[in-house]
Amino acid sequence: MAESVVLDPVDLHILRLLQNDARTTYRDLAAEVGVAASTCLDRVARLRRSGVILGHQLRLDPAKLGRGLEALLLVQVRPHRRELIGPFVDRIRALPETRALFHLTGPDDYLVHVAVTDPADLQRLVLDEFTSQREVARVETRLIFQAWDCGPLLPPPAGH
């Protein structure tokens, strides 16, 4: 497990602002936080070096790209052995429909978030890319009706 990084209130303020808009300039960020732009630049660089900031991503609307149906696939792999898991994960991550992949505990081994064009495309994906694989014992599908973004991820308050 990775070690947590000690963050002061200025770091937390910077992270909160960048999570809301990663395109914020250092000058605007510094003005909002109340430090010099060079200090802000140094702090963001330190947050990147320490691994707190992992990168910047461009988010796209799947519906506007013709993939308006999103689903969660609960996948059980049997036997659940390392020599099968690596190729399975590589294959699923390479699918253009895959948005996210999670390895789980419990009766299901994987949760796969997918975006497809329509129900027939979802059926094709499940049958051709999942259940046709020998190691896939079971797939359950859950349609996503609506999703919400939540607040910025910050460390828990002291004492937790």
Side-chain angles (χ1 to χ4, degrees):
M1 186 179 211
E3 266 188 52
S4 62
V5 175
V6 176
L7 304 170
D8 67 18
V10 173
D11 292 329
L12 294 174
H13 197 174
I14 289 170
L15 292 172
R16 187 176 293 107
L17 292 168
L18 287 175
Q19 284 186 87
N20 289 329
D21 184 0
R23 297 177 306 165
T24 303
T25 66
Y26 288 115
R27 185 179 42 158
D28 292 343
L29 201 58
E32 179 73 28
V33 174
V35 297
S38 60
T39 300
C40 193
L41 178 65
D42 290 343
R43 283 179 175 261
V44 171
R46 182 179 49 78
L47 292 167
R48 282 194 182 111
R49 279 192 313 274
S50 65
V52 173
I53 295 176
L54 298 176
H56 305 279
Q57 293 182 332
L58 178 67
R59 294 181 49 224
L60 304 174
D61 183 340
K64 292 193 173 146
L65 296 173
R67 295 182 183 274
L69 181 63
E70 294 186 69
L72 299 173
L73 307 179
L74 293 159
V75 182
Q76 189 178 71
V77 175
R78 293 293 176 262
H80 195 199
R81 292 195 321 249
R82 190 174 299 279
E83 63 269 14
L84 294 174
I85 298 308
F88 172 80
V89 167
D90 292 343
R91 186 173 58 255
I92 300 310
R93 290 185 67 209
L95 294 172
E97 298 88 354
T98 301
R99 309 256 348 254
L101 173 63
F102 304 92
H103 193 187
L104 308 173
T105 62
D108 299 303
D109 299 309
Y110 292 92
L111 174 69
V112 187
H113 178 191
V114 298
V116 295
T117 58
D118 56 30
D121 193 29
L122 179 59
Q123 181 183 30
R124 176 209 50 83
L125 179 69
V126 169
L127 293 175
D128 294 348
E129 302 295 343
F130 287 87
T131 60
S132 67
Q133 304 301 316
R134 272 197 310 232
E135 70 273 15
V136 175
R138 183 176 57 79
V139 176
E140 286 187 32
T141 304
R142 303 286 189 266
L143 296 181
I144 299 173
F145 291 136
Q146 192 169 4
W148 293 267
D149 285 332
C150 297
L153 176 66
L154 296 172
H160 278 82

